[in-house]
Amino acid sequence: MHTETKKFWSRPVRAVLDLFKSVLSANLGEQMLEVTKRQWHIGTTSFGGPIVQVANFNNLFVQKYHWLDDSTYQELFGIAQSLPGSASTKLIFIITLLRTSILPALLSFMFWAGPGAAGMFVLAVGIGEIGSSLPNPVYALLSGLNSAIVGVIFVAGLNVSSRCITDKLSHLTIFVSGMFGVMYTSLWYYPVLMIAAGIITLVFDSPYFKLLVRFVSRHCKAIKRSMAQTARDMVDSALNRKKSPDQTISLEDLGSMQPDQRPEHDEPCAYNAEERPRPEPTKKSDEILIRTRTGASAVSFTATEIHNENSQDAESRASVEPNYPIKFGISVVIFFVISFVVIMVIRAVVKNLGMPYLMFSNMYLAGTIIFGGGPVVIPLLREYTVGQGWVSPRDFAIGLALIQAFPGPNFNFAIYLGALAYKNGGHSSFWGAVVSFIGIYTPGMLIAGGMFTFWHKLRRYVVIMSFLRGITAAATGLLWTAIYRIWDSGFLSSSNQVGESLGNEAWWYVVAATAFVLGYLYQVPTPFSIAVGGLMGVIRWAYDGAPM
């Protein structure tokens, strides 16, 4: 027993030692220097949102630095898109992790997310010092920014949806999740909605479900053909049987006859359903053969056929196989799952938890369930901060407008909200920013860093990819709820700082439509579209002359 216990504890110890050896490698200094030289500027020059940032990463790491080839980059991008968290942040982290080791990858993450996070913290400190009332032109500016953001999010929703819609099911999932997201909001509601979508997609993608659907479909078609053939036979028989030597029975005469007066067939039907050849039974033992016979029609098909239709040829794709042990990656993912369960259980069991812990758990939950990147985070963060009464709608609108013009990931919006929430609750703004930074980024980094080691094996399972496909589609549907939330409370004024519907004035429709056209048709950068919206809001105030 003593020997078994010793072996049990020796495995994790060896894993930790191997981790330290990989971290403290001989060329660690060279790796840190290379990352610093190549990426020190990346967090201050990456404007334009996730789509532009991903394209810039391709130019930087594939075309310029030659760290990896294009097929590998596409594979890593698929990993980043399929897992929760900020897609651009996960992408640059695992690119650097593939090139170097853990510490240089963390340094790369700080170069990428640090500058924008620091800027949002400074902004939060400044907004926190603003009084309860603002000048009227500022309210007009904020209302114009909110209207423009609606148009910008609409463009982002179209772009994200076009990537997620692969069939009618994903299209329907986006619609249904958006519909349910608009009708009801709660802290637990969004993750349950996404998990339910993943399970439903998994069921619909199952070969046995498709087998059942095809069986029912062909069975119904066979019944329909049989009924149609029976009707044709009856009509032909009635028309061919003579009522007199020179007259045949018409359809009207046949309908007026009593059942016992209708003629019998003089000849047997020329077509015998039993003589139709039946399909040969399958000879493969691993296939399921289902055959139904209705009249003259037979239906037969196999589950293997449908499974092959739904399967993807993973071997034909580029496969990323990092130099990190799979056991280490699995350990990281298990650690994340345990941490998430512990944090959520503490929140549910312990009563009267303070706002600092609740804020951290909200950010940890948001970082865990967000699929699709920055645009999807908006409705969640609004529910988890404004909905809790920690941040005012006015301050949320200011930060949401300005984050679009900041470099780096849009997840830095959480740092702004965390700093404001802590200040409004009588705590340190600095620690609110730190707690939010850790909470929003840690889940995605742990999941991506862990699953990166065995993703090339995991992605071969259709079950896993189907589940993730459903979750991603549901998260995309929730993106559309952000349009409704902002539109419903985006019109700010000195008399109503909580916000009212932008639909109360036609001008805000014009502003939103302008931002949409600029972004969708002319691919104008997002900060410019939002700035135009703010300017149009000020123009409206100047022209109207009435107090906001």
Side-chain angles (χ1 to χ4, degrees), residues 166-178:
T166 56
D167 56 5
K168 292 183 179 180
L169 177 61
S170 56
H171 202 159
L172 182 63
T173 302
I174 292 174
F175 166 71
V176 172
S177 65

Side-chain angles (χ1 to χ4, degrees), residues 129-146:
E129 298 299 326
I130 296 178
S132 58
S133 181
L134 297 172
N136 289 329
V138 176
Y139 288 113
L141 172 68
L142 293 176
S143 299
L145 294 176
N146 283 337

Side-chain angles (χ1 to χ4, degrees), residues 169 197-207 209 462-464 466-467 470:
L169 177 61
I199 295 174
I200 292 174
T201 304
L202 181 61
V203 172
F204 272 76
D205 285 349
S206 169
F209 180 81
V462 179
V463 173
I464 300 297
S466 295
F467 186 74

